[in-house]
Amino acid sequence: MKKVRVARDDAALIYALGVAALCLSYTALADVAARAGLGDWQAAVWPLVVDGLIVAATRAVVTLDAGPARRYAWLLLWAAVGVSIAGNVAHLLLPP
């Protein structure tokens, strides 16, 4: 497999966009979780579980060879992305 080199500026931009997206998603998911009746600490942890699973599954998809483990990582990735998008849409559509 050929390795691709990424310039430092490009990597910094990618990380900055990722952190910004995580912050926005965290706020929305924590708000939805709190409105759903979860306690303070549970509402604070819920977005970390959802978006953290996206990060972990993405890493697994990128690093694992083809096979059942990689297919499972893809399943986890798409499931977590679906939950995150649904939570963010709910935050947008539900009244305050």
Side-chain angles (χ1 to χ4, degrees):
M1 177 185 271
K2 183 178 176 182
K3 292 193 175 196
V4 177
R5 300 218 20 114
V6 177
R8 287 183 193 254
D9 292 344
D10 294 333
L13 178 61
I14 290 167
Y15 284 121
L17 289 172
V19 168
L22 180 64
C23 290
L24 290 172
S25 181
Y26 179 91
T27 301
L29 293 176
D31 181 59
V32 169
R35 288 198 268 170
L38 294 179
D40 290 342
W41 75 270
Q42 291 168 320
V45 170
W46 173 247
L48 297 176
V49 171
V50 173
D51 290 336
L53 182 56
I54 292 172
V55 172
T58 299
R59 181 166 168 75
V61 164
V62 171
T63 58
L64 290 174
D65 291 331
R70 189 170 188 205
R71 285 193 299 274
Y72 182 67
W74 272 111
L75 175 70
L76 288 177
L77 175 59
W78 285 113
V81 166
V83 170
S84 184
I85 289 172
N88 282 283
V89 168
H91 178 260
L92 178 67
L93 297 178
L94 292 174

